[in-house]
């Protein structure tokens, strides 16, 4: 097992009516003037936004609302949020929503105390010295941003989607009431489960050895998510299984499934170009990329893919044909994605044939003009990226 630091400072308040504690938690973490940041309509429609604002008001906490965060959250709204926070002297950001709202909140939090352009952090041109505290009331289990150090923002100018990670933005608390996820459409439910499985798999496919416990946790997360998703697609109001999925999303991305290993993230890097260019759902994009990535790289460590096939996808182990077993595991994963309504080709994802020049543009962005590689299980250069996009088309 490799040496590691495990840092997961977020206070998780999980369960029925957990949102009742919001004002108390905001005060505990020093919030007096709060930006309540939210998305398009779900938090309004469900009454959650009104409830949270009422609880803050009852506790004498001043709040300001900024809605309109869209999936693949935009830099322009981040700028608007920064201006609002400065104007109103806001000292705490409360996200009500999913990964997009939380990521937008983190970007605003970096930008408020910074004199320069917040996008510089995402471009790797600057590092923040501090940021405002952020917390969330989670409404969709998926991105894991409620406990992660990452924020992913799309700059509309050129459709450039970039992530920036810094421990200082890890949320102070995450309120998670599984009942609040009953209203999720099947596609978002399935894309969310795909994303959390991929957060686990990006770490699971490694060449490192001797991490029995980390492997067992990862396989357990994967098997649990795989089983529970069918139950909630059948019955969206299944609290028990919604709860497993909600906690699974956090466990998959709070670092626990990565302790002691080197992680990969190539599928995520390749996907971010798809959702940056075509504004598609991140989890669905991952379902499209992963099978092609897997077929492209599995020979780097066939036994790892065999282990995944057998322990996660229930493929019988054919000891005489490890490659065959590995490939059956990839096929079974692809079948699983389809069975929960995810696309598995770019054509299905964007609704038309992708052009060669669009693929070249994604490769250019992903490889930063050919200067940067991605991945660890197999290091991918521009030509590898192009091959994987072509396999997925
Ligand atoms: O805007 P509203 O109306 O709220 O609708 C949202 C949105 O359309 C809807 N939704 C959320 N909660 C709902 C609901 N609909 C009904 N009932 C509810 N309870 O779901 C849609 C998707 O929301 P979004 O926040 O975009 O989903 P997700 O959590 O999947 O976040 C995706 C973003 O996170 C980034 C992705 O790239 C993408 O931009 N990621 C962030 C990561 C991180 N910060 O650590 C890691 C991930 O790998 C990922 O890259
Ligand atoms: Zn993801």
């Amino acid at each position: 097992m490799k040496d590691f630091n495990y840092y997961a400072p977020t206070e998780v308040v999980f369960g029925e009516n957990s949102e009742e504690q919001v004002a108390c938690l905001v005060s505990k973490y020093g919030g007096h003037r709060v930006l309540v940041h939210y998305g398009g309509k779900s938090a309004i429609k469900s009454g959650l936004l009104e409830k949270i604002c009422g609880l803050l008001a009852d506790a004498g906490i001043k709040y300001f609302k900024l809605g309109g965060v869209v999936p693949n959250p935009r830099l322009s709204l981040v700028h608007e949020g920064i201006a609002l926070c400065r104007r109103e002297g806001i000292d705490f950001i409360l996200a009500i929503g999913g990964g997009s709202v939380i990521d937008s909140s983190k970007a605003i939090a970096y930008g408020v105390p910074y004199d320069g352009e917040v996008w510089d952090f995402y471009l790797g041109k600057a590092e923040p010295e501090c940021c405002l505290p952020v917390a969330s009331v989670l409404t969709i289990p998926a991105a894991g941003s409620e406990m992660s150090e990452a924020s992913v923002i799309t700059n509309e100018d050129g459709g450039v989607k970039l992530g920036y990670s810094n421990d200082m933005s890890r949320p102070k608390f995450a309120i998670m009431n599984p009942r609040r996820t009953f209203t999720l459409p099947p596609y978002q439910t399935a894309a969310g489960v795909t994303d959390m499985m991929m957060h686990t798999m990006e770490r699971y496919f490694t060449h490192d050895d001797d991490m029995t416990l980390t492997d067992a946790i990862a396989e357990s997360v994967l098997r649990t998510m795989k089983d529970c998703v069918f139950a909630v697609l059948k019955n969206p109001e299944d609290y028990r299984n919604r709860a497993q999925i909600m906690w699974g999303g956090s466990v998959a991305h709070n670092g626990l499934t990565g302790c002691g290993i080197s992680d990969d993230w190539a599928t995520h890097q390749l996907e971010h170009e798809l959702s940056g260019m075509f504004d598609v759902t991140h989890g669905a994009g991952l379902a499209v990329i992963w099978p092609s990535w897997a077929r492209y790289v599995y020979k780097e460590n066939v036994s790892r893919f065999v282990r995944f096939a057998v322990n996660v996808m229930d493929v019988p182990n054919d000891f005489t044909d490890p490659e065959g077993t590995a490939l059956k595991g990839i096929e079974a994963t692809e079948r699983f994605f389809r069975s929960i309504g995810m696309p598995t080709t770019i054509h299905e994802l964007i609704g038309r044939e992708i052009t060669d020049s669009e693929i070249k543009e994604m490769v250019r962005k992903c490889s930063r003009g050919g200067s940067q590689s991605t991945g660890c299980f197999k290091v991918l250069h521009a030509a590898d990226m192009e091959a994987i996009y072509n396999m997925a088309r």
Side-chain angles (χ1 to χ4, degrees):
M1 191 187 266
K2 289 199 152 130
D3 298 347
F4 64 90
N5 276 21
Y6 177 62
Y7 183 61
T10 306
E11 178 171 350
V12 174
V13 181
F14 192 99
E16 293 268 19
N17 301 319
S18 45
E19 59 272 9
E20 302 283 349
Q21 299 179 47
V22 69
C24 188
L25 287 161
V26 167
S27 298
K28 177 175 173 182
Y29 290 101
H32 299 97
R33 295 172 73 80
V34 178
L35 177 71
V36 175
H37 201 28
Y38 57 98
K41 51 186 181 309
S42 74
I44 301 170
K45 206 170 153 196
S46 68
L48 181 61
L49 179 69
E50 199 184 343
K51 180 169 185 184
I52 297 292
C53 291
L55 289 163
L56 294 176
D58 290 349
I61 297 170
K62 182 103 177 127
Y63 66 86
F64 302 82
K65 292 195 282 185
L66 179 64
V69 180
V70 291
N72 303 313
R74 309 297 201 263
L75 182 60
S76 55
L77 191 68
V78 170
H79 286 148
E80 211 180 299
I82 293 169
L84 173 62
C85 287
R86 286 181 183 158
R87 204 167 55 240
E88 302 296 348
I90 282 164
D91 58 15
F92 195 97
I93 306 182
L94 181 64
I96 303 181
S100 296
V101 179
I102 303 170
D103 287 4
S104 182
S105 300
K106 289 176 180 174
I108 294 169
Y110 289 131
V112 174
Y114 181 58
D115 282 340
E117 165 55 54
V118 68
W119 188 239
D120 286 350
F121 302 138
Y122 295 79
L123 288 172
K125 287 186 183 169
E127 284 292 327
E129 284 173 10
C130 57
C131 76
L132 291 187
V134 172
S136 76
V137 180
L138 189 67
T139 63
I140 169 172
S145 187
E146 67 278 6
M147 290 185 81
S148 86
E149 81 287 35
S151 153
V152 188
I153 299 294
T154 298
N155 185 342
E156 303 90 311
D157 186 7
V160 182
K161 182 171 178 175
L162 292 176
Y164 175 68
S165 293
N166 192 315
D167 275 334
M168 72 172 67
S169 76
R170 284 192 196 259
K172 298 295 175 203
F173 64 81
I175 290 176
M176 301 188 211
N177 179 353
R179 200 164 286 282
R180 294 288 172 187
T181 69
F182 287 1
T183 50
L184 277 172
Y187 191 77
Q188 289 299 336
T189 298
V193 166
T194 304
D195 193 17
M196 57 186 81
M197 288 179 72
M198 280 309 313
H199 293 159
T200 310
M201 285 150 73
E202 297 275 21
R203 295 168 166 106
Y204 183 83
F205 287 99
T206 172
H207 298 295
D208 299 326
D209 260 331
D210 184 28
M211 61 286 177
T212 319
L213 181 60
T214 298
D215 276 348
I217 294 170
E219 286 166 2
S220 174
V221 169
L222 291 169
R223 293 181 67 93
T224 307
M225 295 308 104
K226 205 161 67 69
D227 292 344
C228 293
V229 68
F230 291 113
V232 301
L233 288 175
K234 205 163 149 208
N235 174 14
E237 304 201 352
D238 177 338
Y239 183 92
R240 191 187 157 279
N241 284 293
R242 286 282 191 197
Q244 309 297 321
I245 291 175
M246 196 162 208
W247 181 225
S250 301
V251 173
H253 203 36
N254 70 6
L256 194 59
T257 58
C259 291
I261 55 158
S262 358
D263 36 18
D264 189 80
W265 298 105
T267 303
H268 265 72
Q269 293 301 328
L270 292 164
E271 193 292 320
H272 281 171
E273 301 310 334
L274 272 178
S275 43
M277 185 178 276
F278 299 106
D279 201 17
V280 290
T281 302
H282 167 64
L286 295 171
V288 165
I289 296 292
W290 188 81
S292 296
W293 171 84
R295 289 193 176 96
Y296 194 77
V297 306
Y298 79 95
K299 287 189 179 158
E300 300 291 311
N301 187 344
V302 172
S303 63
R304 197 75 188 143
F305 273 88
V306 169
R307 181 179 170 135
F308 173 78
V310 174
N311 289 2
V312 178
M313 300 311 296
D314 296 321
V315 172
N317 198 348
D318 180 351
F319 292 97
T320 63
D321 183 14
E323 275 204 31
T325 307
L327 285 168
K328 280 188 186 142
I330 298 169
E331 279 159 26
T333 311
E334 202 169 30
R335 262 199 316 278
F336 163 73
F337 287 150
R338 278 197 221 106
S339 71
I340 60 170
M342 288 290 95
T344 51
T345 64
I346 297 178
H347 193 141
E348 285 173 86
L349 180 72
I350 67 172
R352 65 165 170 84
E353 195 73 29
I354 190 166
T355 65
D356 290 341
S357 62
E358 285 167 336
I359 286 186
K360 286 206 183 313
E361 177 62 3
M362 289 197 295
V363 171
R364 188 187 66 74
K365 285 180 178 167
C366 195
S367 66
R368 303 250 171 140
S371 67
Q372 199 171 282
S373 61
T374 186
C376 184
F377 190 79
K378 178 178 172 66
V379 177
L380 304 176
H381 300 284
D384 305 304
M385 298 172 193
E386 187 167 347
I388 293 172
Y389 282 133
N390 273 315
M391 285 165 73
R393 63 195 301 165

